[in-house]
Amino acid sequence: MKKLLPLFLLLVVLASCGGKGSAEREKSENTLENLTFSVDTLIINSGEDLFDLSGLVQLSGQSNNPNFIYLFDGKKTRIQKIDLGKRALDTSFGFEKEGPDGIGTYILTIQPLAKDRFLIASFESQGVFRSDGSKELDLTLSKFSASEDESQKEIQMPYEMYVSPNGKYAYALVGDFFEGIWHFVRINLDSKSLKSWELPEFNSAKNFTIQLNSDDSFNLRAEDIHLNELNDGMAITVGSSSLIYVYNPQADSLQFINFPHKLTAVEKSGTYPSEVNSKKEYDDIIADIDAQITYGKIVWDSSTKQYFRLGSKKLSTDSKKSEVFLYAFDKELSLIGEQKIDAFEKTPLHYFFKDGKLYSYVNVEDELGFAVFTFDF
């Protein structure tokens, strides 16, 4: 969950609906019941360079090489490659904001690819870029107008994108936070065709899109919605719900999954105005929403062969502390464990697994760092 910039007002959805299947993934024994952990802090040495941690930090990992993490520097329009093993900056790649190889200004997605190539998607540009800054592949969705379903309308700008490991497909989320209508889009890069599925179970997320619009201020708050990489396919998650959609590339189908959680509610609830002009009213609404469960992204741990997900609830309006929950799933995405982590006071940011340990971004006196959690199940 996050406060979104006014540029999100540009997001519109012009896609039509598709089919889906549904299922409930049953829970077996609670594998997290006796969970304990220790924590350490890892500081990254930037050498003679600097890391810009002054604004919204955007980090991305590379699934086929867990030793590296990537930081986007918006001020210098570059991506910094960080070696976690050496705890140091490895190299930097510069890009242009404008022109034929421009990546745009407000970056929505960065995905590292093989051979130091990157999927970079912004409001102005979407494509695959080489390490020298040149654009290798244009992924503007309007370029793929040959829809596999003639009844589908032309699909416009994506909110988030992802390229499959084999490079044959690209995936996108297209939607509108105000209308609450979202679509998952699969692009066949060989045939230049695309197909989309509507995500109706996520429609309720619009109930938590709140706009502050007064004479002296503007702000917009909405639920995060994300593409999540699976070992075989993709998952689509939204912060207001534990419910997910899973795309199976072999069947070229989308399935809806409902998890029987016991510790936390499946979804947020409540009715709120979509627009207010009082900052106090806006803050009170946000506090009420934040006191409910917010679900994070799904990440894979190759050591335990399990998926994990975090959830959190703010304790009070004035407190920065949260209740944090950890959920475990087997490789078929069946829920096998859930536990409240009392030692966590804030939700880990930009979390991922490496060598069986959970890494989370931390700012250590303006130095790039990671809290490293070693779990004992």
Side-chain angles (χ1 to χ4, degrees):
M1 180 170 49
K2 59 191 175 188
K3 294 181 179 178
L4 302 167
L5 297 177
L7 285 172
F8 280 130
L9 292 169
L10 297 174
L11 287 174
V12 293
V13 59
L14 297 176
S16 58
C17 65
K20 67 178 179 67
S22 64
E24 178 169 288
R25 296 298 171 95
E26 293 296 336
K27 178 180 176 181
S28 58
E29 61 180 319
N30 187 356
T31 61
L32 302 181
E33 185 174 5
N34 299 313
L35 177 68
T36 60
F37 67 89
S38 59
V39 61
D40 196 3
T41 302
L42 181 154
I43 305 296
I44 304 299
N45 181 8
S46 60
E48 297 180 358
D49 206 336
L50 293 173
F51 296 124
D52 179 20
L53 307 178
S54 61
L56 180 66
V57 173
Q58 188 158 10
L59 288 163
S60 182
Q62 186 167 340
S63 60
N64 60 2
N65 194 335
N67 286 323
F68 295 105
I69 197 80
Y70 297 80
L71 173 66
F72 179 71
D73 182 344
K75 290 182 179 179
K76 295 187 177 180
T77 321
R78 63 180 180 174
I79 294 176
Q80 294 171 292
K81 183 178 180 180
I82 297 158
D83 190 324
L84 293 175
K86 296 180 179 179
R87 304 187 179 190
L89 174 66
D90 183 276
T91 188
S92 296
F93 309 101
F95 301 90
E96 298 292 331
K97 284 188 177 181
E98 300 177 349
D101 292 321
I103 66 172
T105 301
Y106 190 79
I107 304 301
L108 299 170
T109 302
I110 294 174
Q111 179 197 353
L113 305 173
K115 300 179 180 179
D116 285 331
R117 295 151 53 248
F118 302 91
L119 163 66
I120 305 176
S122 68
F123 281 107
E124 302 92 340
S125 171
Q126 303 90 44
V128 174
F129 293 81
R130 302 179 183 91
S131 59
D132 63 3
S134 61
K135 182 182 285 187
E136 176 182 297
L137 176 65
D138 190 346
L139 289 177
T140 305
L141 294 186
S142 59
K143 302 285 186 181
F144 302 89
S145 57
S147 174
E148 296 171 19
D149 183 348
E150 294 182 359
S151 67
Q152 292 180 359
K153 299 178 182 179
E154 183 178 305
I155 298 174
Q156 298 298 316
M157 184 182 62
Y159 168 64
E160 193 166 275
M161 298 193 76
Y162 179 84
V163 173
S164 66
N166 60 15
K168 294 182 178 180
Y169 299 97
Y171 306 108
L173 279 172
V174 180
D176 180 349
F177 289 98
F178 292 102
E179 292 297 327
I181 301 173
W182 291 93
H183 287 77
F184 171 74
V185 180
R186 189 267 295 138
I187 306 144
N188 188 317
L189 297 176
D190 292 330
S191 65
K192 308 296 181 183
S193 63
L194 56 80
K195 182 178 179 181
S196 75
W197 292 261
E198 189 175 347
L199 309 174
E201 299 293 343
F202 288 173
N203 288 358
S204 62
K206 71 178 179 181
N207 298 334
F208 313 105
T209 298
I210 315 296
Q211 180 181 344
L212 170 63
N213 199 354
S214 66
D215 293 337
D216 56 358
S217 61
F218 174 90
N219 215 329
L220 180 66
R221 183 257 179 233
E223 295 293 327
D224 276 347
I225 182 167
H226 289 298
L227 294 172
N228 302 251
E229 179 188 5
L230 302 180
N231 286 325
D232 186 15
M234 297 294 296
I236 307 100
T237 58
V238 67
S240 59
S241 174
S242 68
L243 314 174
I244 68 171
Y245 284 91
V246 174
Y247 173 72
N248 183 333
Q250 283 71 39
D252 193 27
S253 65
L254 199 66
Q255 183 184 33
F256 170 68
I257 300 178
N258 181 9
F259 298 106
H261 287 297
K262 292 183 178 180
L263 295 184
T264 51
V266 173
E267 294 184 281
K268 285 186 171 77
S269 61
T271 302
Y272 305 94
S274 60
E275 183 175 348
V276 297
N277 52 30
S278 162
K279 187 176 186 304
K280 182 181 184 308
E281 183 180 6
Y282 177 81
D283 290 342
D284 288 345
I285 291 172
I286 301 307
D288 191 52
I289 295 173
D290 286 352
Q292 301 187 62
I293 188 67
T294 296
Y295 290 94
K297 297 187 71 172
I298 295 172
V299 295
W300 172 251
D301 175 20
S302 59
S303 295
T304 61
K305 307 299 180 185
Q306 294 175 359
Y307 292 100
F308 291 92
R309 191 181 196 184
L310 291 172
S312 65
K313 297 191 293 184
K314 285 284 182 69
L315 287 176
S316 68
T317 304
D318 300 326
S319 175
K320 294 183 179 180
K321 296 182 179 180
S322 300
E323 290 183 320
V324 179
F325 301 84
L326 179 66
Y327 312 95
F329 311 85
D330 65 18
K331 60 183 180 180
E332 282 79 33
L333 277 175
S334 294
L335 180 66
I336 58 174
E338 51 185 333
Q339 186 66 274
K340 180 183 173 184
I341 312 297
D342 290 322
F344 283 18
E345 294 186 345
K346 294 193 296 185
T347 306
L349 300 174
H350 301 289
Y351 59 89
F352 60 93
F353 272 89
K354 177 184 180 295
D355 300 330
K357 300 180 180 182
L358 178 69
Y359 283 65
S360 169
Y361 160 71
V362 290
N363 184 321
V364 184
E365 298 180 348
D366 291 330
E367 295 289 341
L368 177 63
F370 294 90
V372 183
F373 300 90
T374 301
F375 290 121
D376 183 0
F377 300 103

